[in-house]
């Protein structure tokens, strides 16, 4: 009887936890592609290099997922994050290349620009009452225009798509590895740990959850919704900027088309990981496992030779499934 009570109290909740189920799905994908690759003598999916490739491939999307995830928990959506992040990479490249700024100063300016754009998003939402979808969609268009103008007028070396960066030891280090581990993976792990604790264990995280789950009740409870919303929008933009910085470090250039494929990967991972599209629920652990699932699926399909177009189709199906599951969960919660 005692053992049965222990199982009910400790094991049963674990089995019903969203992250645990995602880990089971991830393990299933690893087994699937490992067995599938056995039919190809030249392929071997289950190896250390594959794990490193998967982790390294999620770094850029991870920073976007963290910023977008926090904002989703707070009840808002940011569609400008990827373009703001690409803009930060351009600003960094121009600062180093054309203005001969020290790396630290160029980095500060790039992230400051992101923070300002994020604050403008917050102002449109909190002051002028624009829906976050509309406000950030407009910001995405503005960021794209500013990015092209900036690259065209700030350096004569800029082209239609990129601004090359001269050799810079700090940028090379950021885009490189420490031993066999890419530096981006280490930074990503630190960020996930920090934001995971912030969301789950701090008063700010609780206020963010309450604001996203029930804005009216949060305001009645004395939570300063405008202040928290502003912080979340700025954070989302800055996290996009961090992704842009790492992209520039990896490519050795600020690219105007950077992060275009990462925006919805981050959102998909956040929603797949249990962060509600309607706000008020979720955490960083689920978002991380969601990213692992998406990229394990994509790299696994590429490893066994599936047409990339089908990979995109299946990725869209995963997004649709995640949104459908979240929608049904919100409907059940509303009925309760």
């Amino acid at each position: 009887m005692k053992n049965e009570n222990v199982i009910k109290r400790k094991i049963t909740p674990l089995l019903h936890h969203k992250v645990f189920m995602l880990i089971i799905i991830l393990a299933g994908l690893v087994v699937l592609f490992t067995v599938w690759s056995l039919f190809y003598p030249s392929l071997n999916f289950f190896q250390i290099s594959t794990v490193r490739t998967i982790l390294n491939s999620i770094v850029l999307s991870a920073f976007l997922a963290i910023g977008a995830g926090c904002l989703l928990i707070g009840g808002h959506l940011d569609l400008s994050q990827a373009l703001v992040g690409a803009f930060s990479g351009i600003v960094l490249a121009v600062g180093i290349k054309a203005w001969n700024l020290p790396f630290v100063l160029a980095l500060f300016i790039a992230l400051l620009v992101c923070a300002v754009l994020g604050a403008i998003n917050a102002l449109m939402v909190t002051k002028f009452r624009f829906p976050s979808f509309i406000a950030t969609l407009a910001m995405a268009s503005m960021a794209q225009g500013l990015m092209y103008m900036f690259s065209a007028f700030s350096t004569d070396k800029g082209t239609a798509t990129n601004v090359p960066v001269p050799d810079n030891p700090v940028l090379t280090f950021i885009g490189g590895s420490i031993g066999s581990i890419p530096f981006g993976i280490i930074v990503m792990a630190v960020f996930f740990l920090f934001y995971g604790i912030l969301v789950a264990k701090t008063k700010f995280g609780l206020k963010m959850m309450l604001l996203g789950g029930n804005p009216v009740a949060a305001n009645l409870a004395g939570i300063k919704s405008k202040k928290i919303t502003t912080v979340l929008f700025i954070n989302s933009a800055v996290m996009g900027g961090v992704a842009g910085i790492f992209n520039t470090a990896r490519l050795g250039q600020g690219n105007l088309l950077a992060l275009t494929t990462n925006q919805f990967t981050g959102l998909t991972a956040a929603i797949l990981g249990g962060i509600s599209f309607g706000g008020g629920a979720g955490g960083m652990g689920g978002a991380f496992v969601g990213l692992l699932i998406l990229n394990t699926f994509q790299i696994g399909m590429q490893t066994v030779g599936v047409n990339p177009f089908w990979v995109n189709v299946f990725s869209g199906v995963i997004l649709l499934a995640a949104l459908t599951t979240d929608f049904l969960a919100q409907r059940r919660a509303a009925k309760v």
Side-chain angles (χ1 to χ4, degrees), residues 80 98 105 107 119 133-134 158 169 171 208 246 253-255 257 269 278 304-305 317 319:
S80 65
L105 182 56
L107 176 66
F133 177 89
I134 300 299
L171 206 61
M208 187 167 57
F246 270 90
Q253 62 183 19
N255 195 297
L257 303 178
V304 297
V317 170
L319 173 58

Side-chain angles (χ1 to χ4, degrees), residues 315-336:
S315 297
V317 170
I318 292 174
L319 173 58
L320 181 61
L323 287 171
T324 302
T325 302
D326 179 64
F327 175 72
L328 293 176
Q330 288 184 55
R331 287 189 62 181
R332 286 195 297 269
K335 288 181 180 179
V336 173

Side-chain angles (χ1 to χ4, degrees), residues 26-38 45 297 301 304:
L26 177 61
L29 286 175
V30 172
V31 172
L32 170 65
F33 289 120
T34 299
V35 173
W36 196 343
S37 66
L38 294 177
F45 180 79
F297 174 77
M301 294 287 273
V304 297

Side-chain angles (χ1 to χ4, degrees), residues 65 68 72 262-275 277 286-287 290-291 294 298 314-323:
L72 279 175
N262 299 94
Q263 172 77 68
F264 289 103
T265 301
L267 281 173
T268 303
I271 297 168
L272 181 63
I275 295 178
F277 196 75
L291 277 172
L294 290 174
Q298 292 174 355
F314 292 134
S315 297
V317 170
I318 292 174
L319 173 58
L320 181 61
L323 287 171

Side-chain angles (χ1 to χ4, degrees), residues 244-310:
I245 299 302
F246 270 90
N247 187 75
T248 297
R250 288 180 171 186
L251 298 178
Q253 62 183 19
N255 195 297
L256 277 71
L257 303 178
L259 307 180
T260 52
T261 61
N262 299 94
Q263 172 77 68
F264 289 103
T265 301
L267 281 173
T268 303
I271 297 168
L272 181 63
I275 295 178
S276 175
F277 196 75
M284 292 298 111
F288 176 68
V289 180
L291 277 172
L292 288 177
I293 289 174
L294 290 174
N295 283 61
T296 298
F297 174 77
Q298 292 174 355
I299 291 176
M301 294 287 273
Q302 293 170 8
T303 300
V304 297
V306 175
N307 190 308
F309 294 113
W310 281 111

Side-chain angles (χ1 to χ4, degrees), residues 17-206:
H17 198 280
K18 176 80 173 183
V19 177
F20 179 79
M21 298 306 298
L22 290 173
I23 291 174
I24 295 298
I25 294 173
L26 177 61
L29 286 175
V30 172
V31 172
L32 170 65
F33 289 120
T34 299
V35 173
W36 196 343
S37 66
L38 294 177
F39 293 95
Y40 301 86
S42 61
L43 301 178
N44 183 10
F45 180 79
F46 191 71
Q47 52 186 336
I48 296 299
S49 61
T50 304
V51 175
R52 185 167 56 244
T53 299
I54 292 172
L55 289 174
N56 198 35
S57 68
I58 71 174
V59 169
L60 301 182
S61 297
F63 296 126
L64 297 177
I66 291 171
C70 288
L71 195 56
L72 279 175
I73 292 172
H76 295 284
L77 177 68
D78 187 356
L79 296 179
S80 65
Q81 191 185 32
L83 284 166
V84 169
F87 187 27
S88 76
I90 292 291
V91 173
L92 179 69
V94 169
I96 296 174
K97 178 70 176 179
W99 300 343
N100 296 316
L101 297 177
F103 172 82
V104 174
L105 182 56
L107 176 66
F108 174 78
I109 293 173
L111 295 180
L112 180 62
V113 167
C114 292
V116 170
L117 296 181
I120 294 173
N121 277 335
L123 183 65
M124 288 191 287
V125 172
T126 59
K127 181 71 174 177
F128 299 105
R129 304 294 182 182
F130 284 105
S132 57
F133 177 89
I134 300 299
T136 58
L137 188 62
M139 177 56 71
S141 180
M142 288 188 286
Q144 187 174 39
L146 288 170
M147 185 163 47
Y148 277 89
M149 290 173 59
F150 201 84
S151 65
F153 293 113
S154 297
T155 172
D156 58 355
K157 298 297 183 181
T159 68
T161 58
N162 63 74
V163 178
V165 182
D167 291 337
N168 183 282
V170 180
L171 206 61
T172 301
F173 174 77
I174 291 175
S177 302
I178 298 178
S180 60
I181 303 176
F183 181 67
I185 294 177
I186 299 172
V187 176
M188 175 186 68
V190 172
F191 271 64
F192 263 119
L193 180 62
F194 172 79
Y195 279 90
I197 294 173
L198 177 71
V199 171
K201 302 295 183 180
T202 67
K203 290 182 179 179
F204 182 83
L206 177 60

